[in-house]
Each structure stands twice: as structure tokens, then as C-alpha cells.
């Protein structure tokens, strides 16, 4: 079975709410207890999340947003998977 990749966009007003929603998505997926034999973090399907928060920036570059978000995702993966990381 191939992995499924998705991009979620949250339009929220603060970092706390954004992280809470991402954590809830992560926990909800884990609680489904879908078996995943190839997962190094758990015997079940899990999700690693990378977040990038834009705080009123007006000069937004989509490539930069993608890179920062992807970098945060790989921090989650390198730190054991099944977690949420935020780009700084």
C-alpha cells in the first residue's frame, strides 16, 4: 500500500489554535488504529505534521512556504514521527 500525502491549510489567528487542531488531527488518525506494518513509530497508521505560521507577512513566496513547512515535517519525522513540528 502506498502512503497517502495531503496538505492541510488552516486559516487561524494564532499559533496555539493551529497547533491544537494539528494535534487533534494527528490523534484522531492514530485512534483509528489502522494497521500499518511498515510504520517505525507504531504498528498503526500515524501522521507527522509540519506547520509554518505566517504572521501578517505581506511578501509571501509559495516556494518559501513549502520549504519551511517541509523542513518542519522532516523535524517531526527525524524526532520519531507521529508528532507536530512548527517551522521557526
Amino acid at each position: 500500500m502506498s502512503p497517502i500525502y495531503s496538505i492541510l491549510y488552516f486559516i487561524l489567528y494564532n499559533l496555539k489554535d493551529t497547533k491544537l487542531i494539528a494535534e487533534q488531527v494527528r490523534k484522531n488518525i492514530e485512534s483509528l488504529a489502522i494497521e500499518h506494518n511498515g510504520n517505525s513509530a507504531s504498528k498503526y497508521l500515524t501522521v507527522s505534521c509540519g506547520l509554518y505560521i505566517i504572521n501578517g507577512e505581506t511578501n509571501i513566496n509559495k516556494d518559501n512556504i513549502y520549504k519551511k513547512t517541509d523542513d518542519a515535517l522532516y523535524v517531526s519525522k527525524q524526532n520519531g514521527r507521529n508528532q507536530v513540528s512548527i517551522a521557526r
Side-chain angles (χ1 to χ4, degrees):
M1 175 186 256
S2 298
I4 298 171
Y5 298 95
S6 296
I7 297 174
L8 303 175
Y9 292 95
F10 299 110
I11 300 174
L12 300 170
Y13 296 101
N14 63 56
L15 174 63
K16 180 182 173 187
D17 289 345
T18 304
K19 185 160 184 178
L20 282 173
I21 289 173
E23 279 290 344
Q24 192 61 52
V25 168
R26 184 193 65 75
K27 288 177 184 177
N28 287 346
I29 290 171
E30 185 176 26
S31 73
L32 295 172
I34 299 169
E35 288 193 31
H36 185 333
N37 296 331
N39 187 348
S40 62
S42 169
K43 68 179 186 176
Y44 301 114
L45 179 71
T46 61
V47 64
S48 298
C49 300
L51 304 177
Y52 175 58
I53 309 301
I54 300 169
N55 291 318
E57 298 171 33
T58 56
N59 188 12
I60 300 171
N61 176 306
K62 67 177 174 48
D63 294 329
N64 189 40
I65 292 170
Y66 180 86
K67 177 164 181 4
K68 287 182 182 259
T69 305
D70 194 52
D71 289 348
L73 170 63
Y74 278 93
V75 167
S76 290
K77 289 182 175 185
Q78 291 170 349
N79 289 333
R81 300 180 181 265
N82 194 28
Q83 56 189 279
V84 175
S85 296
I86 301 168
R88 300 285 178 198

